[in-house]
Amino acid sequence: TPSDSPCNGRVSVAKAKNNGSTPIRRFIYQSMVAWLSRFLSRPDIEVNLQHSPSPRRGGNYHVDYDVWDADGIRSFVDHDGRPFLPPPPGQHRLLFSLNVDWFNPFGKTTSARVDIGAIYMICLNLPPVLRYRLENVYLVGVIPGPSEPHLHQMNHFLRPLVDELVKLWSPGVYLTRTYQNPGGILVRCALLPLVCDLPASRKVSGMQGHSGTFFCSHCLLKNSEKANFDYWSWPKRSYEEHLRIADLWRKAPDSKSQKDIYDNHGIRWTELLRLPYWDPI
């Protein structure tokens, strides 16, 4: 923040060779555009891409069999208010989910405690039988250990991905060649669901954890009121108010002000809010 003094922490260590230096820790990031170029160059991908929400199934009960049955995808609109799917001719429009998680590279049976993070995305346009195969998973980046980034520090690792997602949303990226489109095609992408366990999802989405005062990402019921099972009395969150408070946190003049906003509202800024369509609620 503007009032914080520099931490003067070291970011590199000297190398004996050539009097150079090397970073203390590296964040390994894979460009989304580069990954898409390789992904769409494979002969088995474009033929399997799903570009329209599945038709509603009949019966007395509405059952969601896949993410493509969800109202959030069926009603998802472009920046001009028109349906994002199906795409116009000459375009691919791809939807992704995002996952962030940490693991101990030494395994669960060792006393050594190190947390390495992984950020990866799934192309939801593929059918479920292909969606989660390792060769189809986009590994965004590897967050170095030995510990997890603290709360808003997660934004540093999300920023390069969001930079690309902003461009991939509008105007999109034109690939000069894919397997089925040797003359080129425009590719536009959107990130919709955040698929993590609760601690990771709250860290990424900029909300308090499930043990905080505001423990729910959908309503503003307080932790002290968890015995209230009257659903209709729960105060609802709104995207507009969430964005307003998150922006206040981002523009706060000092760390104390940021802490007060977070303590009073359970909200802080996340880089994902730079995506004009992404709603954390």
Side-chain angles (χ1 to χ4, degrees):
T1 62
S3 69
D4 287 332
S5 56
C7 67
N8 294 316
R10 295 182 59 86
V11 296
S12 62
V13 292
K15 292 173 61 177
K17 187 177 181 180
N18 300 328
N19 294 322
S21 63
T22 185
I24 290 176
R25 292 197 293 174
R26 295 177 185 268
F27 173 48
I28 309 300
Y29 176 77
Q30 178 180 198
S31 163
M32 186 170 185
V33 173
W35 180 85
L36 282 168
S37 301
R38 295 193 304 274
F39 181 65
L40 295 173
S41 294
R42 289 167 39 196
D44 59 325
I45 294 301
E46 286 175 289
V47 70
N48 283 303
L49 291 179
Q50 181 180 0
H51 273 313
S52 298
S54 54
R56 286 289 190 199
R57 294 166 171 82
N60 296 326
Y61 300 99
H62 172 58
V63 177
D64 290 341
Y65 293 88
D66 185 37
V67 66
W68 283 78
D69 296 331
D71 290 336
I73 286 183
R74 305 180 73 87
S75 61
F76 186 56
V77 296
D78 207 343
H79 53 76
D80 57 3
R82 297 179 180 179
F84 186 72
L85 299 167
Q91 285 191 31
H92 280 318
R93 292 193 172 183
L94 307 179
L95 299 178
F96 286 83
S97 63
L98 174 68
N99 182 276
V100 180
D101 205 356
W102 282 265
F103 62 96
N104 186 345
F106 299 110
K108 296 181 178 180
T109 58
T110 178
S111 59
R113 185 64 206 176
V114 174
D115 287 310
I116 302 293
I119 306 173
Y120 48 95
M121 296 174 68
I122 301 296
C123 181
L124 301 176
N125 296 72
L126 290 175
V129 68
L130 300 176
R131 198 175 291 164
Y132 303 100
R133 290 185 179 178
L134 287 180
E135 63 268 25
N136 298 331
V137 174
Y138 165 37
L139 177 62
V140 179
V142 178
I143 303 173
S147 58
E148 295 184 24
H150 178 69
L151 296 178
H152 62 275
Q153 293 174 352
M154 189 66 209
N155 283 326
H156 303 312
F157 300 102
L158 293 173
R159 190 167 296 125
L161 172 63
V162 174
D163 287 342
E164 290 199 90
L165 283 169
V166 168
K167 184 187 299 183
L168 283 162
W169 170 248
S170 181
V173 171
Y174 187 82
L175 298 182
T176 57
R177 182 183 185 90
T178 66
Y179 186 82
Q180 289 200 325
N181 294 275
I185 191 170
L186 179 68
V187 180
R188 295 185 59 201
C189 301
L191 165 65
L192 288 185
L194 179 61
V195 185
C196 310
D197 62 17
L198 271 176
S201 69
R202 300 301 170 81
K203 182 174 287 190
V204 174
S205 64
M207 293 185 180
Q208 276 185 345
H210 54 281
S211 61
T213 302
F214 300 99
F215 65 98
C216 179
S217 60
H218 293 277
C219 77
L220 292 169
L221 198 70
K222 294 183 178 180
N223 218 314
S224 58
E225 303 169 328
K226 281 198 292 189
N228 175 10
F229 292 103
D230 179 12
Y231 169 79
W232 301 107
S233 70
W234 300 351
K236 301 296 186 289
R237 292 181 182 264
S238 77
Y239 169 75
E240 292 76 18
E241 181 67 2
H242 183 100
L243 188 61
R244 184 188 72 82
I245 295 171
D247 199 49
L248 283 176
W249 185 97
R250 181 170 63 97
K251 295 176 180 177
D254 51 59
S255 299
K256 182 182 182 303
S257 298
Q258 285 185 334
K259 184 178 183 305
D260 289 342
I261 292 170
Y262 186 59
D263 289 344
N264 291 328
H265 301 282
I267 295 171
R268 53 183 168 73
W269 178 261
T270 171
E271 283 290 297
L272 295 181
L273 290 173
R274 289 171 49 204
L275 302 173
Y277 55 84
W278 192 77
D279 185 345
I281 301 166

